[in-house]
């Protein structure tokens, strides 16, 4: 378990399927993070939680829990972990909209990145962000992420094309 003053991260469990299902099927939550806005059946989500979030050898996933109320507020993960080359991709979704814009994503990512760099001894962590998600881009830049490239007009949302920005962070660039 990793923790700060306001939150802690705990491993995702199969029992989190219903909670994750509610976030995964909330268009507001997935709009700025998931390229395919879709509605997932409970069985689809259960399979995803079991095979990708819980039992994968190449990912580590954590529920973000607000400490005072013991309220699960989101999920963050290291995915596509490459132990030989010491790199991974990170993702974050705050599923509980009451916690948006209050610094919880920064705290959760700081905990995850500290774990990635200090415990797993990763050298590099990357991520993808949609170019319209300016708040997320600013957060990633504050943490030290640098833009490494763009997939131009790779996302179609509400009748418009958007770039997907690829960002990376090396261990010695991390601003925690």
């Amino acid at each position: 378990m990793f923790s700060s003053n306001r939150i802690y991260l705990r491993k995702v469990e199969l029992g989190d399927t219903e909670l994750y299902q509610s976030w995964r099927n909330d268009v507001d939550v997935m709009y700025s993070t998931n390229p395919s806005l879709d509605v997932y059946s409970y069985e689809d989500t259960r399979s995803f939680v079991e095979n990708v979030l819980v039992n994968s050898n190449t990912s580590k996933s954590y529920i973000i829990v607000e400490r005072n109320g013991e309220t699960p507020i989101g999920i963050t993960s290291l995915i596509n972990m490459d132990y030989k080359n010491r790199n991974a991709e990170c993702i974050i979704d705050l599923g509980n909209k009451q916690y948006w814009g209050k610094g919880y994503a920064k705290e959760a990512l700081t905990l995850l990145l500290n774990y990635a760099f200090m415990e797993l001894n990763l050298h590099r962590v990357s991520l993808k962000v949609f170019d319209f998600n300016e708040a997320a881009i600013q957060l990633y830049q504050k943490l030290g992420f640098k833009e490494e490239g763009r997939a131009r007009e790779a996302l179609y949302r509400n009748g418009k094309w958007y770039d997907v920005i690829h960002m990376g962070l090396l261990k010695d660039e991390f601003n925690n």
Side-chain angles (χ1 to χ4, degrees):
M1 178 171 68
F2 323 106
S3 64
S4 68
N5 290 335
R6 297 192 306 164
I7 63 168
Y8 64 89
L9 305 181
R10 68 161 174 79
K11 283 190 145 246
V12 173
E13 302 166 349
L14 200 51
D16 294 315
T17 301
E18 192 171 321
L19 175 66
Y20 188 66
Q21 168 83 358
S22 70
W23 296 338
R24 192 178 194 207
N25 282 330
D26 186 328
V27 173
D28 291 338
V29 172
M30 293 293 128
Y31 185 84
S32 60
T33 59
N34 192 334
S36 65
L37 293 176
D38 205 350
V39 176
Y40 299 92
S41 72
Y42 182 83
E43 278 309 310
D44 287 342
T45 300
R46 187 180 190 292
S47 175
F48 181 81
V49 169
E50 183 174 6
N51 298 315
V52 177
L53 300 181
V54 175
N55 293 323
S56 172
N57 293 330
T58 59
S59 70
K60 294 185 179 290
S61 298
Y62 303 92
I63 296 291
I64 306 162
V65 181
E66 188 273 326
R67 188 179 288 285
N68 286 341
E70 289 295 310
T71 306
I73 64 172
I75 186 168
T76 189
S77 303
L78 293 169
I79 62 171
N80 302 321
M81 296 178 71
D82 176 349
Y83 293 101
K84 178 192 176 295
N85 295 299
R86 296 176 38 214
N87 64 67
E89 185 177 344
C90 72
I91 58 172
I92 186 167
D93 286 312
L94 287 187
N96 188 325
K97 293 179 257 187
Q98 295 175 0
Y99 293 86
W100 288 7
K102 297 179 179 174
Y104 288 96
K106 182 179 185 204
E107 281 185 54
L109 280 176
T110 299
L111 290 173
L112 185 72
L113 292 168
N114 271 320
Y115 175 65
F117 292 131
M118 302 307 172
E119 297 303 321
L120 297 177
N121 197 26
L122 295 182
H123 174 67
R124 181 177 180 280
V125 174
S126 64
L127 59 80
K128 296 175 194 152
V129 60
F130 306 151
D131 70 350
F132 63 78
N133 194 348
E134 294 173 15
I137 294 167
Q138 288 178 0
L139 166 61
Y140 302 146
Q141 289 171 336
K142 282 180 191 170
L143 291 170
F145 281 88
K146 310 263 189 282
E147 183 174 330
E148 297 179 336
R150 286 177 178 253
R152 296 175 305 130
E153 297 186 3
L155 178 75
Y156 191 69
R157 261 302 124 78
N158 287 335
K160 288 181 65 181
W161 289 103
Y162 295 95
D163 293 354
V164 176
I165 301 171
H166 298 260
M167 300 182 84
L169 174 65
L170 302 179
K171 183 177 183 175
D172 62 359
E173 297 170 335
F174 178 38
N175 298 322
N176 61 349

